[in-house]
Amino acid sequence: LKKIAVLTSGGDAPGMNAAIRAVVRGAIYNKLEVMGVIRGFEGLIENDLIPMDSKSVSNIIQQGGTILKSARSKEFMTKEGRQIAYDNLKQHHIDALIVIGGDGTFTGARVFSQEFNIPTVGIPGTIDNDLYGTDYTIGYDTALNTVIEAVDKIRDTASAHSRLFFIEVMGRDAGFLALRSAIASGAEAVLVPEISTDYKKLDAFLKNSYNKEKSSSIVLVAEGDKISGGAIKVAERVDKEHPDYNVRVTILGHIQRGGSPSAFDRVAASRMGVSAVEALLDDQKSVMIGMVNNEIVYVPFNQALKHKKPLNPRLLELIEILSI
Ligand code: F6P
C-alpha cells in the first residue's frame, strides 16, 4: 500500500473536515501518499483529484461542511460510471480508498470495492446516526446540539404565547436525532418512524399535557415519520380538530447540517480517521469504522447496510416519564 484517496459523499455532516484531516495526517504519519477527491464519487468519475499534504488540512478541524465538497452521484450507480472511476484511480496509482459518508456512500463503495478489488474503508459521517454497528456517526452530536439550541429558543416564544409547537427534525427515515433531541430539550412528545404513534394516542397525550395549563408544549416530529406525514400535516390535523389549541410549526431544515463540530464529533472524527488508515494497513478491504462502547471496531459494509439500527426503547420511555 503506497497511495490512498479520501472522499466525502452524500449529505455533509459537521466533523467531516476533522475526519479528512485525520485521514491525511494518519496517512502521512504512516508514510503513505494521499489524494483528495472533490465532490465524492462524482469527482472520481470526473477525475477531479488533488494531492494532499499536512498543510492542506491545517485550520479545518473546527469547520463545518467539507473542504472536499460532496455530491450524491447518479453516474456512480452505473457500471460504466464505476469503470471510469476505477480507470482514474489507476491513472493516479491509487491502491485504496477511504470514503466518509452514510449508507448511500457505503452502498456504492461496497459494490465498487468488490467489482474492482479496491480495498475500501468507510467512516460514518451523517447527522442521522442511522448506521448499524456504530453507536455514533460523525455529525450527530453537533446536530443534536444545534437542534436543542433551536428548540430552546422556540420554547421561549412558545411559553410567552402558551402555544403548542410541532417542530420537524431531520433524520431521513430514522428517529435518532428526533428522539435524543426531544429528551435533551425537554419536549413533551416525539413522533418517530420506528414507533407508530396513532392520532388517538397523540390526541390523548395532547389533552393530557397541553390542557394541563402547561405554559407551552413542544412535539418533535421526525421528518421520516410516515404516520404523521411530517410536522405540517400533523399540525394541520390537530389545529382542525382543536381550534382552541394555539398551534405553530417550525421545520428546522438544513441548519441542522451546518456549524462548527462539537468536541465529541472532533474527537470521534480524529479517532475514526486515523483508524481508517490503520485498517487499510491492516489489510481490511470492505469495512466501516465504528465506535462501540467508546472503542473502535470494524464493521463489514454488508453488515452495516443490511441491518436496521434499533432505537433504544428506554429513551422513548424516558420521554413519557419526564413529560408528566
Ligand atoms: O442524511 C442527512 C440528511 O440531512 C437527512 O437528514 C435528510 O433527510 C437529507 O440528508 C436531506 O438531503 P438534501 O440535503 O439532499 O436535501
Side-chain angles (χ1 to χ4, degrees):
L1 188 72
K2 287 205 176 91
K3 192 170 182 181
I4 65 168
V6 57
L7 60 82
T8 49
S9 158
D12 59 296
M16 278 186 165
N17 281 326
I20 295 168
R21 172 179 177 270
V23 168
V24 170
R25 295 200 171 160
I28 294 168
Y29 180 86
N30 284 289
K31 314 253 177 311
L32 298 173
E33 277 182 77
V34 54
M35 292 192 88
V37 186
I38 309 298
R39 287 187 315 285
F41 295 123
E42 200 79 23
L44 211 50
I45 294 169
E46 286 163 15
N47 207 7
D48 200 354
L49 287 87
I50 50 167
M52 304 202 70
D53 59 14
S54 183
K55 217 167 148 227
S56 62
V57 290
S58 291
N59 209 7
I60 64 165
I61 195 169
Q62 76 281 22
Q63 288 174 25
T66 158
I67 59 160
L68 291 177
K69 299 191 177 289
S70 192
R72 301 188 203 275
S73 175
K74 288 226 168 67
E75 218 185 327
F76 197 73
M77 289 178 189
T78 67
K79 175 114 195 183
E80 296 74 34
R82 292 193 297 273
Q83 180 68 52
I84 298 170
Y86 175 72
D87 294 342
N88 290 335
L89 278 187
K90 285 295 105 182
Q91 186 202 321
H92 291 284
H93 306 290
I94 290 162
D95 316 304
L97 205 53
I98 293 179
V99 298
I100 308 169
D103 58 350
T105 305
F106 297 161
T107 304
R110 179 173 165 257
V111 175
F112 187 60
S113 127
Q114 280 174 355
E115 242 168 23
F116 297 102
N117 200 19
I118 285 271
T120 305
V121 171
I123 298 177
T126 163
I127 63 164
D128 303 337
N129 199 32
D130 57 349
L131 287 162
Y132 183 86
T134 186
D135 293 343
Y136 293 102
T137 57
I138 296 165
Y140 176 55
D141 183 68
T142 307
L144 276 173
N145 283 295
T146 303
V147 173
I148 64 166
E149 197 186 326
V151 176
D152 288 351
K153 287 180 176 162
I154 292 169
R155 178 73 79 179
D156 290 345
T157 171
S159 302
H161 291 268
S162 302
R163 279 176 171 156
L164 163 63
F165 266 84
F166 291 93
I167 303 177
E168 191 169 295
V169 175
M170 275 187 172
R172 204 174 287 276
D173 48 14
F176 299 99
L177 193 55
L179 176 56
R180 203 164 266 261
S181 50
I183 293 171
S185 61
E188 276 70 19
V190 63
L191 303 180
V192 290
E194 290 84 348
I195 305 289
S196 53
T197 311
D198 58 23
Y199 272 96
K200 254 199 207 141
K201 199 167 165 202
L202 179 65
D203 220 43
F205 146 76
L206 288 175
K207 279 204 183 98
N208 183 32
S209 88
Y210 190 58
N211 288 352
K212 255 186 343 196
E213 282 153 25
K214 275 206 169 188
S215 67
S216 63
S217 274
I218 287 183
V219 179
L220 293 199
V221 184
E223 65 175 355
D225 184 47
K226 300 270 183 322
I227 294 197
S228 66
I232 294 181
K233 285 226 171 86
V234 70
E236 272 170 5
R237 186 160 170 171
V238 170
D239 193 40
K240 212 161 154 196
E241 281 168 18
H242 303 280
D244 51 319
Y245 291 3
N246 199 347
V247 176
R248 290 291 186 276
V249 179
T250 304
I251 294 175
L252 295 181
H254 284 79
I255 59 163
Q256 294 163 98
R257 285 242 294 267
S260 178
S262 66
F264 182 92
D265 277 332
R266 295 182 199 195
V267 174
S270 302
R271 289 179 69 186
M272 288 181 179
V274 171
S275 298
V277 174
E278 289 171 354
L280 286 176
L281 290 166
D282 200 19
D283 276 340
Q284 296 293 326
K285 291 203 178 334
S286 200
V287 297
M288 176 188 87
I289 301 296
M291 224 163 77
V292 174
N293 297 329
N294 207 25
E295 293 294 336
I296 293 290
V297 294
Y298 298 157
V299 191
F301 276 146
N302 56 352
Q303 250 196 54
L305 294 165
K306 200 166 71 190
H307 303 287
K308 192 160 167 57
K309 187 165 160 182
L311 268 193
N312 181 348
R314 183 65 185 152
L315 294 187
L316 273 165
E317 230 179 292
L318 267 187
I319 303 270
E320 226 166 293
I321 295 170
L322 297 175
S323 63
I324 52 161

